[in-house]
Amino acid sequence: MRKGIIYIALFSFFALVSFTSTEPLFHVPSGWPKPSYDFSKNTLSQDKINIGRALFYSPILSKDNTISCASCHLSFTGFAHTDHDLSHGIDGKIGKRNAPALMNLAWGKTFMWDGRINHLDMQALAPISDSNEMNENIAHVVEKLNQSNLFKNLFYSAYRDSLITGERTLKCITQFMLTLVSANSKYDQVMRHEDTFSSQEKNGYLLFQKNCASCHTEPLFTNNQFANNGLQQDTVLLDNGRYAITHIASDSLTFKVPTLRNIEFTYPYMHDGRFKKLSQVLNHYTSIPQHASTLDSQLQKPIQLSANDKVDVISFLLTLTDKEFLYHPKFQYPKKLFSQSPNGL
Amino acid sequence: MRFILCFLIGCMPLCSVAQNDISISFHHQIHHQKLILNERSRISPQSDSVIITTLKYYISSIQLLWQGKTVFRESNSHHLLNIEESKSCTFPLHTPKNIHFDQMEFCVGIDSISNVSGALGGDLDPTLGMYWTWQSGYINFKLEGIHPKCPSRKNEFQFHIGGYQMPYYPLQEIKLSIPNKKQIDIYLQLEKLMANLDFKTQKSIMIPGKEAMDFSKRFTQMFSTAQ
């Protein structure tokens, strides 16, 4: 009897240890708002996340099997396309906007610089179909996937059914994107009292809170809204921003407020990648011409920062770098999975 | 064990009586003649001939009514009708037995909630060519063809009607009196949709907006139960 109890106790102990040591597939960092994504409609599983990761890294999504999501969204740089103001897609064609960094997408409400996509599940359709990006269509992608042994096996292990549909394909890509959570930068550690800011970073943080945080709201460093930040319209691109989608005059020249997390690596900055350096970004914000009719109300009064202030703000922005996120193997090219069928083709 | 078995067997007829299928068929005509894709038809005796190459649309939120009150509401009610696939134009309604109805109500298009609910399956799967990719949203109704007056390449016209945001929410509700029968036939008379369309100026609608909204108002005129 006593032996039995000891066994039960030991078993429960190990069960508890093994249970608590498994990393959850997704968790909301403490103090963060509730995600916008409805997980009840797309329950996360490791198998589906793996499929999503394979799809993210496979050029099978493009018409000629040359371009993958990762062609323009590189894990080591916060899934931005570092050094490219505009990205090049199929046949070397150049797109119209800067490829945004991808992180904390579960908290996003709308996607793309102008918010034209209303749900994370539907986001992948845009680059897949755009003639400058992958120039493919989802029906044909699904046809190709249904002919791939690798993907048929992967879908079978996730769904107990090897039939690949558009819905399943998109939801798996979403699952991988949902796992891209960046919440362990120095800033986060300071907020959790595990680290402290230098005096320069601290001053930068105070200046940031005073001048920038109304749009780049903590902890996501975006308010998920759209704003005209006073940039002159590029005379070649003639991009009207969100106006092209809503046809509402007040949306003219407004763009999504991007997150600033991992900003150290997501250059060049702005919707058309016009600024290579953070100092150029800050110089822009302190010298906005006041004539733009839809200029954001928060910017109507010019931001004033001294040269030293700017250095301090930048030192604070560098605390938003999250090396764990940038270098985590689970976000990288699935070498092992693709060892038998290169790139999942 | 035997009790459970008896209970289950006892229940079986209950299950089968509880449900009764009604079959709905949509027929597509021009002036009461069957519409044949890629063949010439006339919208009116005076007009030029028109060729329809594609007709695909969503029927959703089907309800049956008796004396003005809803007696049946189909769940997950979304049907993609593609006249290229005649099977898609006939489908069953799983209704309770002995149901009495004298009216049917349905929508042409997809409601705004489904439009913002992410990836959906079945007839709503985005691989079916009825989902926009450059911006989110379903195409409610797709009509494509050729008209000699169209000032476009190959005289082609395309009407892709959709949108889910006010004030341009072109979901149209249709109410028809129907006989209380197991087979319900609904006729879409395309000449009513296309009457007074000026193909010289109206050859393409591809985005949500006022034009799509105005076009969708024509849907309310084109359905009937009379052959």
Side-chain angles (χ1 to χ4, degrees):
Chain A
M1 182 63 193
R2 189 183 278 177
K3 228 179 193 174
I5 291 171
I6 291 171
Y7 280 136
I8 291 170
L10 269 176
F11 177 77
S12 335
F13 175 73
F14 283 118
L16 197 70
V17 166
S18 64
F19 181 70
T20 48
S21 65
T22 13
E23 210 186 323
L25 298 172
F26 180 89
H27 87 279
V28 179
S30 71
W32 282 36
K34 190 172 162 268
S36 312
Y37 193 82
D38 181 357
F39 286 81
S40 72
K41 300 259 169 65
N42 188 14
T43 309
L44 293 187
S45 83
Q46 192 57 57
D47 284 335
K48 292 177 188 170
I49 294 168
N50 292 346
I51 297 175
R53 181 176 167 204
L55 288 166
F56 189 88
Y57 281 97
S58 177
I60 201 166
L61 297 187
S62 63
K63 185 168 192 165
D64 62 356
N65 298 335
T66 59
I67 306 288
S68 72
C69 305
S71 301
C72 302
H73 297 285
L74 288 80
S75 63
F76 302 106
T77 59
F79 292 93
H81 202 181
T82 297
D83 265 344
H84 291 72
D85 52 354
L86 306 173
S87 291
H88 45 93
I90 201 159
D91 299 326
K93 287 183 187 165
I94 307 291
K96 295 189 180 82
R97 289 183 182 149
N98 181 257
L102 308 180
M103 67 197 76
N104 305 331
L105 298 167
W107 288 267
K109 291 183 175 72
T110 58
F111 302 90
M112 303 292 253
W113 279 105
D114 51 18
R116 63 177 63 199
I117 306 296
N118 68 23
H119 195 286
L120 189 55
D121 291 354
M122 306 328 255
Q123 168 57 39
L125 287 175
I128 288 172
S129 314
D130 190 311
S131 60
N132 289 323
E133 298 182 50
M134 293 172 169
N135 195 26
E136 186 46 292
N137 77 70
I138 185 69
H140 191 234
V141 168
V142 168
E143 206 179 302
K144 287 194 281 185
L145 293 173
N146 273 309
Q147 285 160 9
S148 150
N149 283 332
L150 173 80
F151 281 105
K152 272 201 310 212
N153 287 333
L154 286 174
F155 275 85
Y156 183 77
S157 53
Y159 291 92
R160 294 286 141 211
D161 173 2
S162 64
L163 181 73
I164 303 170
T165 64
E167 180 193 13
R168 287 177 179 176
T169 303
L170 294 175
K171 282 190 164 166
C172 285
I173 298 176
T174 300
Q175 292 221 353
F176 175 65
M177 291 196 288
L178 288 168
T179 64
L180 306 179
V181 177
S182 176
N184 200 20
S185 62
K186 179 173 182 182
Y187 159 82
D188 297 297
Q189 289 161 7
V190 172
M191 293 301 126
R192 296 196 301 256
H193 308 291
E194 296 161 11
D195 202 343
T196 48
F197 282 140
S198 70
S199 60
Q200 192 179 33
E201 289 163 352
K202 193 169 180 187
N203 189 43
Y205 182 40
L206 294 173
L207 291 165
F208 172 84
Q209 286 183 309
K210 183 168 171 250
N211 295 295
C212 321
S214 62
C215 288
H216 297 285
T217 319
E218 299 168 69
L220 294 157
F221 289 88
T222 170
N223 58 0
N224 281 314
Q225 300 294 310
F226 301 86
N228 175 353
N229 68 350
L231 293 172
Q232 294 285 330
Q233 190 182 44
D234 183 292
T235 52
V236 176
L237 298 170
L238 294 175
D239 193 338
N240 288 319
R242 189 161 165 74
Y243 175 79
I245 296 304
T246 63
H247 304 289
I248 298 170
S250 58
D251 287 336
S252 175
L253 302 176
T254 67
F255 293 89
K256 165 90 72 61
V257 174
T259 180
L260 305 183
R261 286 180 171 272
N262 298 298
I263 197 169
E264 182 179 359
F265 294 99
T266 60
Y267 57 91
Y269 307 109
M270 304 297 162
H271 64 273
D272 53 9
R274 70 178 68 182
F275 297 137
K276 289 196 170 99
K277 295 196 178 308
L278 285 172
S279 55
Q280 293 172 302
V281 174
L282 292 187
N283 289 341
H284 162 72
Y285 280 115
T286 52
S287 60
I288 297 173
Q290 300 298 308
H291 54 70
S293 64
T294 59
L295 182 67
D296 195 74
S297 60
Q298 306 283 343
L299 296 170
Q300 298 284 351
K301 217 176 111 207
I303 291 177
Q304 289 186 342
L305 294 171
S306 69
N308 282 340
D309 288 345
K310 288 178 188 174
V311 174
D312 291 357
V313 169
I314 290 171
S315 79
F316 163 69
L317 291 175
L318 299 184
T319 71
L320 298 176
T321 295
D322 175 358
K323 294 244 160 89
E324 183 189 271
F325 173 73
L326 296 172
Y327 304 131
H328 204 304
K330 73 178 177 181
F331 299 143
Q332 295 166 14
Y333 182 82
K335 240 186 269 173
K336 215 170 119 193
L337 190 67
F338 284 171
S339 60
Q340 297 302 317
S341 47
N343 295 329
L345 293 171
Chain B
M1 186 62 197
R2 192 185 284 174
F3 171 75
I4 294 173
L5 213 69
C6 290
F7 178 73
L8 283 178
I9 292 169
C11 282
M12 272 163 68
L14 266 181
C15 300
S16 54
V17 246
Q19 233 178 37
N20 185 28
D21 283 354
I22 289 173
S23 179
I24 303 184
S25 296
F26 282 80
H27 308 276
H28 303 90
Q29 302 187 326
I30 293 191
H31 289 299
H32 304 283
Q33 298 291 312
K34 187 179 178 189
L35 169 69
I36 298 169
L37 287 187
N38 305 312
E39 285 195 10
R40 289 177 186 283
S41 324
R42 257 175 227 286
I43 299 169
S44 74
Q46 304 81 27
S47 70
D48 299 298
S49 61
V50 65
I51 295 172
I52 304 295
T53 54
T54 304
L55 175 57
K56 280 168 92 172
Y57 60 99
Y58 279 109
I59 292 294
S60 65
S61 310
I62 298 178
Q63 293 182 43
L64 297 175
L65 297 90
W66 171 248
Q67 295 180 343
K69 276 192 179 161
T70 302
V71 290
F72 174 76
R73 210 183 287 267
E74 190 187 28
S75 51
N76 295 319
S77 187
H78 301 105
H79 303 271
L80 176 58
L81 278 63
N82 177 1
I83 71 162
E84 213 164 12
E85 295 162 21
S86 56
K87 266 202 286 185
S88 70
C89 302
T90 295
F91 51 85
L93 275 189
H94 307 296
T95 57
K97 210 195 168 185
N98 297 330
I99 187 170
H100 284 280
F101 51 84
D102 54 13
Q103 259 189 335
M104 182 172 159
E105 214 176 277
F106 59 86
C107 291
V108 180
I110 299 299
D111 63 287
S112 61
I113 304 262
S114 303
N115 264 291
V116 297
S117 296
L120 301 168
D123 277 3
L124 294 176
D125 195 291
T127 52
L128 297 172
M130 294 295 276
Y131 196 90
W132 273 308
T133 55
W134 56 278
Q135 91 170 35
S136 298
Y138 282 94
I139 299 169
N140 292 342
F141 186 94
K142 200 184 239 191
L143 177 72
E144 296 175 350
I146 297 164
H147 190 281
K149 290 237 165 70
C150 276
S152 54
R153 187 174 155 264
K154 297 183 189 169
N155 303 117
E156 288 173 343
F157 60 85
Q158 291 113 353
F159 299 111
H160 295 184
I161 309 303
Y164 62 93
Q165 281 171 315
M166 294 303 269
Y168 303 125
Y169 181 33
L171 186 77
Q172 293 294 349
E173 205 178 274
I174 315 289
K175 216 173 203 176
L176 295 174
S177 292
I178 51 166
N180 197 346
K181 285 185 184 166
K182 281 200 158 189
Q183 170 68 39
I184 300 171
D185 291 294
I186 294 170
Y187 296 88
L188 188 162
Q189 302 293 351
L190 212 58
E191 78 279 3
K192 291 189 177 156
L193 175 76
M194 295 167 82
N196 311 321
L197 261 184
D198 181 7
F199 284 96
K200 267 186 226 160
T201 54
Q202 254 191 317
K203 58 181 184 355
S204 158
I205 301 175
M206 307 287 272
I207 55 170
K210 189 178 181 306
E211 269 192 284
M213 194 67 205
D214 290 343
F215 192 93
S216 74
K217 288 176 185 151
R218 296 167 173 266
F219 300 159
T220 55
Q221 306 302 319
M222 65 185 181
F223 292 100
S224 69
T225 49
Q227 191 171 356

